[in-house]
Amino acid sequence: MELRQRVLELARAYRRAQAPLTPQRLAEGVGLRLVYSSLSEGRFGLVLAEKNLVLIDPQSPARRQRFTLAHEVMHLLIQQDEELLSALHEAHAGQGLERALEALCNLGAAEMLLPAEVVRMALAHQGPHPRLIPQLAEQHQVSEEVVVIALAEHAPQPIIALVAGGQPLRVYFSAQHPLIPQRLPRGAGFRRDDPLVVALETGLPQRATAHLPNHPQPYRVEAYPKGGRVYAVYTAPFCQKD
Ligand SMILES: [Zn+2]
């Protein structure tokens, strides 16, 4: 069984069954009651399975809350799918299993909130341009993380999509196409002459060849600065056309 495909199908079926996807309906479809409650530092959501409750931090931004809620719902949907669970355990173990599970829950959550057909249509019109990240987030009222995950999944060629910000500039979140094995850790920094840093400092979009920490090969990168953040799409070299 192709795990990612199965997770996307689960998410799609859930979105249709629970439409319109209000926070309450999102939670109720898996038998959970939604409660807003402050959580410990760094946590945005928590499922208390024995009480059938899902807790969401009311202080996090509204779009972040929806993504967190959809992510927690995906945990339950995956847990209830025996075939998917056993395929997951066959493919991964230990820490790798946990990472794979979290990534699958993110993938399903993104699909619930931002359907693949919307993303594919935007990609067909504009190509995998980083401006799509703030644009689709605004148009569809989803967090930028959702768009990053969806772009990396549905782009026709292997890409890494990311949002960076802060001073000094660092990675807020990123996602990569399934064919790119190396991950880019949250919080990773950039050299002073990196195209993303140049984009932030000049306010001008950049196109260049760039290296990423732990990635052996260079990438083509497009960086798009907006509102104090830099959005970037890295294209893997083995599928470059120019
Ligand atoms: Zn999780």
Side-chain angles (χ1 to χ4, degrees):
M1 182 197 314
E2 222 285 277
L3 285 169
R4 309 176 73 87
Q5 236 20 69
R6 179 71 193 139
V7 163
L8 289 171
E9 279 166 23
L10 272 181
R12 244 168 244 149
Y14 194 78
R15 182 180 67 229
R16 290 190 190 120
Q18 295 305 116
L21 220 50
T22 60
Q24 282 71 23
R25 292 183 57 84
L26 244 176
E28 282 163 7
V30 283
L32 294 175
R33 199 158 60 81
L34 172 61
V35 174
Y36 292 99
S37 161
S38 289
L39 298 165
S40 59
E41 190 75 30
R43 269 213 99 112
F44 300 111
L46 182 66
V47 170
L48 300 177
E50 67 283 6
K51 293 184 178 158
N52 291 328
L53 289 182
V54 55
L55 308 182
I56 294 292
D57 179 8
Q59 268 132 36
S60 63
R63 296 181 199 179
R64 171 82 223 189
Q65 288 180 29
R66 281 188 84 211
F67 179 57
T68 304
L69 181 55
H71 175 101
E72 298 300 339
V73 167
M74 276 313 304
H75 270 292
L76 272 104
L77 289 177
I78 290 175
Q79 233 169 62
Q80 292 163 3
D81 188 321
E82 275 177 36
E83 215 181 313
L84 177 56
L85 262 192
S86 67
L88 184 63
H89 283 267
E90 250 168 60
H92 303 276
Q95 275 199 333
L97 174 68
E98 199 163 312
R99 260 208 309 275
L101 177 61
E102 290 307 313
L104 288 174
C105 290
N106 279 345
L107 179 64
E111 176 62 32
M112 272 184 201
L113 304 176
L114 184 65
E117 54 264 31
V118 169
V119 180
R120 291 215 183 92
M121 200 178 295
L123 281 165
H125 285 137
Q126 302 194 46
H129 194 280
R131 86 168 79 80
L132 285 176
I133 300 169
Q135 189 177 305
L136 289 176
E138 199 50 45
Q139 279 170 3
H140 298 277
Q141 294 294 302
V142 293
S143 69
E144 290 175 346
E145 196 165 6
V146 164
V147 185
V148 162
I149 293 163
L151 282 181
E153 183 69 23
H154 302 300
Q157 68 272 61
I159 63 162
I160 299 169
L162 71 78
V163 178
Q167 222 28 288
L169 192 69
R170 62 185 197 281
V171 174
Y172 281 167
F173 40 82
S174 72
Q176 74 275 359
H177 191 274
L179 286 177
I180 299 178
Q182 299 91 358
R183 293 161 45 80
L184 191 62
R186 198 179 281 255
F190 299 90
R191 289 160 48 120
R192 279 204 52 79
D193 59 351
D194 190 277
L196 273 65
V197 176
V198 177
L200 183 67
E201 283 172 357
T202 60
L204 298 172
Q206 302 290 315
R207 265 184 157 181
T209 301
H211 289 266
L212 286 170
N214 306 326
H215 292 237
Q217 73 280 38
Y219 291 89
R220 286 293 298 169
V221 62
E222 287 207 65
Y224 175 72
K226 188 172 191 256
R229 293 185 160 197
V230 182
Y231 304 91
V233 169
Y234 295 78
T235 309
F238 43 85
C239 43
Q240 254 174 233
K241 289 198 186 81
D242 50 351

